[in-house]
Amino acid sequence: MNSLGNFRSRLVKHFIETGEDLLQPEIERLSLIMADKLKIDGKKIRMDSFMVSSSCKNLSRIELTYKVNYNFIKILNKLYPDELTITLKEYLKNGHKNDTVYRTRDIDSESKLTFLLKQSAELFNVALDINSEELITSEEFILLERLLNDQIINNDSDNDSDNDNYNNENKVKIDEQEVEPKEGKDIKSTSLQNPSDPDATYRTKYGPNIGHVANITEVFDDDNRIYISYNYKPNIYSDTNFLRDFIEKQNKSEWEIMLLVDGAYYSYQLSKEAKEKNITLIPGELAGRKNNDKLPLTEHKIDSSTNEISECANGKKPEISTYDEEKEAYVAKFNKSDCENCEYASTCTIKEQKKYNKLRFTKKQHERSDLRIQMETKEYGKLSNQRAGIEGAPSIFRRKYDVDNMHVRGLVRSKIEFGFKVLAANFKNFHKGIKRMEFFALNYFFTIIMKKHFRIMNFSKISCF
């Protein structure tokens, strides 16, 4: 166990010092070898993301402020005990937390939160007066400064607390009497949630969550599945960003790859970037309102050679037709008489102008219209429905690999821990696939022998399942 623990520690240390994750590339290379051994052709990929809760306690703003103050007072008492005032020394007494946070009423007609944040400001000012690099660069002070930036209004001490080259001239003292807490709705999702896990962020998706978000990408066929890629970020990271990260890592494929995603991943721009690498996005749905009452833009014909509208849905040719490359917009102007008694008049998006009737739409709008029509076909539905196979993965990682109760905290440590869980899941899927292949090979061999020696011509119809 010590060897594994030391290995993890070295991975974390290297990641923090260089920003390079040594584990993930190895896991992903190994996953490709597994997929190849299972004879998965890699032409179909599916992707999903899920929240990973931090094991840290969900603190109220009062509890959070008290905890940050207490942590800083401990280090201040260790390094400069004479700088603590009588009020601040009370934090070191047994029972002070319960008396302050849970038992006492509002102090001197001001809320507990305001009182505690004023003490946070006092601690911040004491640290500036001491002017010690050891104190200022400590994690406890960095979190104290972050707390103040997150929680109080008009905090002028907003500085880059992650800057190792600390310069005291950049820090500005806070007027303790002017401290006023922000409204809860004004607290950002990136604010400090718990000093024991400073990387955890807050997001509401299917309920409130404090922690991170994982994204997994799986290559599959009818029988086997292997996770070929994963990503791990603060839980405010969007699905479109996960997809962008995945596309950027890929080399151009020799054959077309179908990437099955849900609507939260899809965007027109990402679809274009994926196409450049021979990847076709297959969203199960599209975000946004459907215009079922409008004529599909694909009913208008576009000349592939000129990239201009050549005919409207009613077969009328435009008087003027252009394409704006910068805005990727098609514009066509039709004679007013062309629109008279048109059967599509009530659903067409054409607009009447003084001289002409103008039809304008962007390439993005046209492609989304085309995609919506494709999504109504049986072939597309059959393909996109295959994405359902990965939707059980979040449950597997929670039940079997206990990702919501990892014994480590922080983005770097939990990402490395999650990587080992992906590796474990891949080994299990690989083992299942190999056993299945061996079974079919044995079944095939047995069938041939029986046919040869006993001449049971219909033996191949007998199932061993």
Side-chain angles (χ1 to χ4, degrees):
M1 288 299 294
N2 286 338
S3 297
L4 181 58
N6 292 336
F7 176 59
R8 287 170 172 163
S9 297
R10 290 195 296 271
L11 288 174
V12 170
K13 182 180 179 181
H14 182 83
F15 200 141
I16 293 174
E17 290 177 350
T18 67
E20 181 185 16
D21 185 352
L22 296 175
L23 181 65
Q24 183 172 355
E26 296 304 320
I27 291 176
E28 292 180 351
R29 274 194 285 268
L30 185 58
S31 70
L32 293 177
I33 295 174
M34 292 180 184
D36 181 62
K37 294 297 182 182
L38 294 176
K39 302 187 184 305
I40 305 175
D41 60 22
K43 293 183 179 180
K44 290 188 293 187
I45 301 174
R46 51 196 177 194
M47 182 179 289
D48 198 16
S49 66
F50 55 93
M51 297 293 181
V52 178
S53 297
S54 171
S55 59
C56 69
K57 182 181 178 182
N58 186 2
L59 301 177
S60 67
R61 292 175 70 185
I62 291 174
E63 291 173 317
L64 172 64
T65 306
Y66 184 93
K67 183 67 174 175
V68 172
N69 289 353
Y70 174 71
N71 289 347
F72 184 68
I73 286 173
K74 283 200 302 183
I75 189 174
L76 189 60
N77 184 58
K78 179 180 178 181
L79 299 175
Y80 304 96
D82 295 337
E83 298 297 332
L84 285 174
T85 63
I86 296 176
T87 304
L88 296 177
K89 285 181 180 179
E90 293 291 321
Y91 275 80
L92 302 174
K93 294 183 178 180
N94 291 333
H96 181 264
K97 177 180 178 180
N98 289 338
D99 290 339
T100 303
V101 176
Y102 304 115
R103 294 176 185 154
T104 59
R105 296 183 178 181
D106 289 355
I107 304 166
D108 296 332
S109 299
E110 66 181 359
S111 72
K112 292 178 188 177
L113 180 59
T114 303
F115 176 77
L116 291 172
L117 285 173
K118 285 184 177 180
Q119 290 187 324
S120 302
E122 180 183 355
L123 288 167
F124 180 81
N125 293 337
V126 168
L128 294 190
D129 288 335
I130 295 173
N131 195 21
S132 163
E133 184 174 353
E134 180 182 10
L135 185 64
I136 296 297
T137 56
S138 67
E139 182 180 3
E140 290 80 1
F141 178 82
I142 291 172
L143 294 180
L144 175 69
E145 183 178 21
R146 179 179 170 186
L147 174 81
L148 291 166
N149 292 332
D150 291 340
Q151 299 287 339
I152 69 174
I153 298 174
N154 298 327
N155 181 19
D156 293 329
S157 69
D158 190 7
N159 298 284
D160 185 4
S161 57
D162 294 327
N163 185 4
D164 293 334
N165 299 318
Y166 168 71
N167 182 357
N168 190 26
E169 295 179 358
N170 294 332
K171 308 287 182 182
V172 179
K173 284 189 174 183
I174 301 172
D175 187 344
E176 300 163 25
Q177 301 307 314
E178 297 296 324
V179 168
E180 183 180 352
K182 292 179 180 178
E183 295 289 334
K185 61 182 178 62
D186 296 327
I187 303 296
K188 296 179 179 179
S189 59
T190 55
S191 65
L192 181 66
Q193 303 296 317
N194 190 314
S196 67
D197 192 352
D199 296 326
T201 50
Y202 180 86
R203 183 178 180 184
T204 301
K205 184 180 181 181
Y206 315 120
N209 176 269
I210 294 175
H212 309 97
V213 60
N215 190 79
I216 50 176
T217 307
E218 179 184 78
V219 64
F220 67 100
D221 58 19
D222 293 338
D223 299 315
N224 300 302
R225 54 194 292 179
I226 291 291
Y227 303 118
I228 58 167
S229 179
Y230 67 93
N231 206 343
Y232 196 85
K233 295 288 184 179
N235 67 8
I236 57 174
Y237 209 71
S238 69
D239 287 344
T240 53
N241 284 332
F242 277 129
L243 179 56
R244 180 175 290 107
D245 292 343
F246 175 79
I247 292 172
E248 288 176 353
K249 286 173 60 177
Q250 305 309 304
N251 296 320
K252 187 172 182 179
S253 172
E254 296 179 2
W255 55 77
E256 184 181 16
I257 295 175
M258 302 292 182
L259 177 53
L260 283 57
V261 296
D262 70 16
Y265 286 92
Y266 181 83
S267 76
Y268 170 68
Q269 182 60 35
L270 287 178
S271 179
K272 288 203 317 181
E273 294 175 13
K275 275 289 186 184
E276 293 174 0
K277 297 188 176 181
N278 213 9
I279 300 173
T280 300
L281 299 186
I282 309 293
E285 57 186 11
L286 290 178
R289 183 172 58 88
K290 294 182 180 180
N291 290 323
N292 292 329
D293 56 335
K294 295 294 183 182
L295 179 70
L297 298 177
T298 51
E299 294 295 320
H300 307 294
K301 293 183 179 180
I302 296 177
D303 190 325
S304 58
S305 60
T306 61
N307 204 26
E308 296 174 352
I309 298 173
S310 58
E311 284 185 9
C312 73
N314 198 29
K316 302 295 183 181
K317 297 186 180 297
E319 299 287 329
I320 302 172
S321 186
T322 59
Y323 177 73
D324 188 330
E325 292 187 3
E326 183 178 353
K327 297 180 179 179
E328 293 189 326
Y330 302 97
V331 179
K333 296 181 179 181
F334 293 86
N335 194 302
K336 286 181 174 292
S337 61
D338 292 338
C339 297
E340 294 177 0
N341 302 319
C342 177
E343 60 178 308
Y344 304 112
S346 60
T347 57
C348 185
T349 56
I350 199 166
K351 292 184 179 180
E352 186 176 354
Q353 293 186 330
K354 187 174 181 180
K355 189 174 181 181
Y356 295 103
N357 287 348
K358 182 179 177 181
L359 178 64
R360 183 187 184 279
F361 53 84
T362 63
K363 191 173 184 179
K364 174 181 177 180
Q365 292 171 325
H366 185 269
E367 293 201 4
R368 283 179 68 89
S369 178
D370 182 43
L371 185 55
R372 286 195 184 277
I373 291 174
Q374 291 182 44
M375 291 170 71
E376 299 297 325
T377 64
K378 290 183 179 180
E379 293 78 9
Y380 188 98
K382 184 178 179 181
L383 180 61
S384 65
N385 287 341
Q386 294 180 46
R387 185 187 171 275
I390 200 174
E391 291 180 349
S395 176
I396 293 173
F397 276 96
R398 289 193 172 98
R399 290 183 294 104
K400 292 188 176 181
Y401 302 101
D402 208 17
V403 292
D404 286 327
N405 296 290
M406 287 192 278
H407 64 281
V408 295
R409 294 174 185 168
L411 182 64
V412 173
R413 287 178 173 83
S414 56
K415 181 183 180 183
I416 288 174
E417 186 75 7
F418 182 77
F420 282 117
K421 294 180 185 296
V422 172
L423 182 61
N426 271 346
F427 271 119
K428 186 166 186 177
N429 291 336
F430 180 68
H431 182 249
K432 284 182 179 180
I434 290 296
K435 286 181 66 177
R436 187 182 295 110
M437 292 172 68
E438 289 175 348
F439 175 79
F440 280 113
L442 181 61
N443 186 34
Y444 177 77
F445 176 76
F446 181 68
T447 301
I448 295 299
I449 295 298
M450 293 296 288
K451 278 186 175 181
K452 180 177 180 180
H453 293 283
F454 298 98
R455 301 184 182 280
I456 302 177
M457 303 307 296
N458 292 324
F459 187 80
S460 60
K461 295 182 180 180
I462 299 175
S463 174
C464 293
F465 293 100

